[in-house]
Structure formats: C-alpha cells, structure tokens
Amino acid sequence: MSKLKIAIQKSGRLSEKSLELLKNCGIKISNGDRKLKTEAQNFPIEVLFLRDDDIPQYVEQGVADIGILGENEVWEKGKEVQIIEKLGFANCKLSLAIPKDENYPGLSYFNNKKVATSYPKMLQKYFDEKNIKVEIEEIGGSVEIAPGIGLANAIFDIVSTGSTLLMNGLKEVEVVTNSTAVLIANKKLPKEKQEILDKLLFRIKAVRTAAENKYILLNAPVSAVEKITSILPGMKAPTILPLAEEGWVSIHSVVKEDEFWEVIDQLKTIGAQGILVVPIEKMVL
Ligand code: ATP
Ligand code: MG
C-alpha cells in the first residue's frame, strides 16, 4: 500500500507543533533517535524531517507529498505547490522596521534606501506594487543587527512580540503581511495518496475545531431555558437535563473559545449558575 510522505521541520519553531498536530490526529510517530525519516505505526504516512526552507521544493518535486511550514516560506520560495489548510500555529507578522530615532513620514521613507532581509522576493514584490525603489540586501539570519552595523538603513523580518526589535534599537513601521503555519501539497497527487490526505485532513479539522470550542455545562431555572438556548445554540441544539431540584435544569452545549467570556457574562445575568467549561479533545461536525 502506498504511503503519504509528509515533510516537517527537523528542528526549529515548527517541529514540536507539527509533531503534536500529528499526535493529536491519533498518528503514532517515534522519532527518539532523530532519524531523517520515520514511518507512523498506525497510519499510512511517512515523516521526513527537513529544513523548512527546503520543504516547498521537495513538495513541488514530489520527494514529499505534503509538508508543514510557515506561509512566509511558501510565498518566498514561490514553488508550484498548493496551500491546503491553515494550521493556526507559528503566527507571526512580517514587518518593516527602521532605527527608532528616525522620523517616519510613511512608505516614501524607503525610497532609495537599503533594506536587509531573508525574504528578498516577498519584499521586492511589495515595493514593486507600491512603486518604491529600494535596494534589497539579502542575508541569512540575524537581520535585526543590519542597521546597527551599517549594512542597511532598515530591515524586513518576522516580528512576534517586537522585543528583538527594541533590543536592537529599531521600531516597526509597517506590517507587510501576517503568516501562519500551513499544510501544503504537491499539485498532482495520485488518487491513493489523495485519499490518505483526505483522511488526514478530516482529522486535522476535527482537532482544529475542537481547539476552537469549549464544552459548557451550567444549571439554570426552567424559565431561563429559552434565552440560554438562543445564546448557546450548540452543535444542533443544547442538551437539557432535569436537575433533582424542581424547576431547575442542567444545560450542556458548546461555545466558541473567542466568544467565551462574553457569553459567560450574558449567562450569569439571566440566572445561570455553576458554570463549568471543559476542553474538547476532538469535534466532528
Ligand atoms: P532553519 O531554516 O534554520 O530551520 P528558520 O529560522 O527558518 O530555521 P524558525 O526560526 O524555526 O526557522 O521558524 C520557522 C517558522 O516559524 C518561520 O518561517 C515562521 O513561519 C515561524 N516563526 C518564526 N519566528 C516566529 C516567531 N517569533 N513567532 C511565531 N512564529 C515564528
Ligand atoms: Mg528556515
């Protein structure tokens, strides 16, 4: 039987989360001895551990069928691959930053300036679209030190909290784009591999949906049921169970993680008590 080959980052920010995602999908992988390649024990998948920069190329060529990496690398490499699913981790911004004491009049600042980056193609495209002429200095890493050592006037790099910028006397002036980890795939997967990918995707979606939702249980007077049902519609409708105390029920439903605090406030106002919120492990709609 054929196996789906998935490329993930060997060591770096994406490695642990990528393995964790596969594990949450019920796929057992042992990589104790840090091999280059390993097979899952209970799913037709083979995992290749590679440098994230190389993943788009390998997926384009079919050395790997699918891969997990940051959108930023997919854009920069510009290879012929398809982005299948956003995975919701390794979220970051790609921003332009300049020395913090410089006056910033807007994008025109960059006219005829030198900008250091590890993402030259993305940056060139951005400035071309804005009709601004810059000189791009490509460097492999530690981009944030470039202005300090006189290599460039500004930088274009990944920013998460901004503390690295601050430490190097820089300030963020433009957010060019946001990036998140994605699942990419070869454009011409044979049918058997596509079927394995569909199975994997089904599981990934169940894991992602579960992470975005919480299970909520609460007690309420019967008179409040209608209002609570409208606030907590649930997957189909909430479960309502009688309590041993006359006139009271227990209501079970799901609530979106990001609406959670607001919903709790509303529920309390209309008389809900003993509210419990618990994580959901998998959720299939
Ligand atoms: P190498 O190529 O040597 O394996 P790298 O520097 O390309 O390493 P990492 O630093 O591990 O890779 O980052 C991998 C990906 O994680 C990046 O391409 C980006 O999508 C995302 N990322 C990077 N820095 C951050 C950050 N500070 N916060 C969130 N996500 C980040
Ligand atoms: Mg890399």
Side-chain angles (χ1 to χ4, degrees), residues 4-194:
L4 189 72
K5 285 179 282 181
I6 179 167
I8 65 174
Q9 193 186 22
K10 187 174 166 59
S11 64
R13 278 174 195 277
L14 299 163
S15 311
E16 203 177 309
K17 286 276 171 64
S18 306
L19 282 170
E20 187 182 296
L21 177 67
L22 295 177
K23 188 170 149 236
N24 290 339
C25 289
I27 299 172
K28 289 206 177 102
I29 292 153
S30 58
N31 187 34
D33 45 3
R34 290 262 152 201
K35 280 185 292 196
L36 193 68
K37 198 160 94 164
T38 183
E39 283 183 14
Q41 294 153 24
N42 56 354
F43 197 80
I45 206 169
E46 193 174 67
V47 186
L48 309 177
F49 299 92
L50 302 167
R51 268 201 72 189
D52 65 341
D53 309 50
D54 299 332
I55 294 177
Q57 182 182 340
Y58 285 139
V59 171
E60 183 189 63
Q61 292 171 351
V63 174
D65 302 305
I66 61 173
I68 295 178
L69 75 166
E71 274 176 308
N72 52 314
E73 287 296 345
V74 183
W75 293 323
E76 180 61 25
K77 294 297 181 289
K79 298 286 177 190
E80 287 291 317
V81 296
Q82 37 177 343
I83 293 184
I84 302 277
E85 181 84 7
K86 293 198 180 210
L87 301 174
F89 57 87
N91 297 327
C92 55
K93 300 179 277 186
L94 285 122
S95 300
L96 284 160
I98 65 172
K100 70 175 190 326
D101 296 330
E102 290 269 302
N103 174 37
Y104 185 68
L107 269 183
S108 64
Y109 173 89
F110 292 97
N111 255 317
N112 300 314
K113 291 270 186 355
K114 206 171 182 183
V115 186
T117 186
S118 309
Y119 301 95
K121 284 193 194 139
M122 277 180 75
L123 187 62
Q124 190 65 63
K125 187 161 167 265
Y126 177 76
F127 279 126
D128 283 351
E129 278 164 11
K130 307 280 180 192
N131 257 322
I132 288 170
K133 206 173 149 309
V134 290
E135 191 181 332
I136 295 175
E137 186 70 37
E138 180 177 358
I139 50 178
S142 304
V143 173
E144 61 285 347
I145 65 167
I149 58 172
L151 183 67
N153 306 104
I155 65 160
F156 172 61
D157 202 10
I158 290 175
V159 176
S160 58
T161 59
S163 57
T164 311
L165 291 184
L166 214 64
M167 259 163 36
N168 287 281
L170 300 172
K171 64 179 177 189
E172 179 183 49
V173 290
E174 301 284 344
V175 177
V176 171
T177 185
N178 291 292
S179 169
T180 182
V182 286
L183 184 73
I184 59 166
N186 180 274
K187 284 199 163 171
K188 291 189 224 96
L189 282 184
K191 190 164 159 286
E192 326 82 84
K193 293 198 172 183
Q194 184 63 48

Side-chain angles (χ1 to χ4, degrees), residues 227-239:
K227 269 196 185 152
I228 293 179
T229 308
S230 68
I231 298 171
L232 288 176
M235 283 165 62
K236 196 172 213 109
T239 307

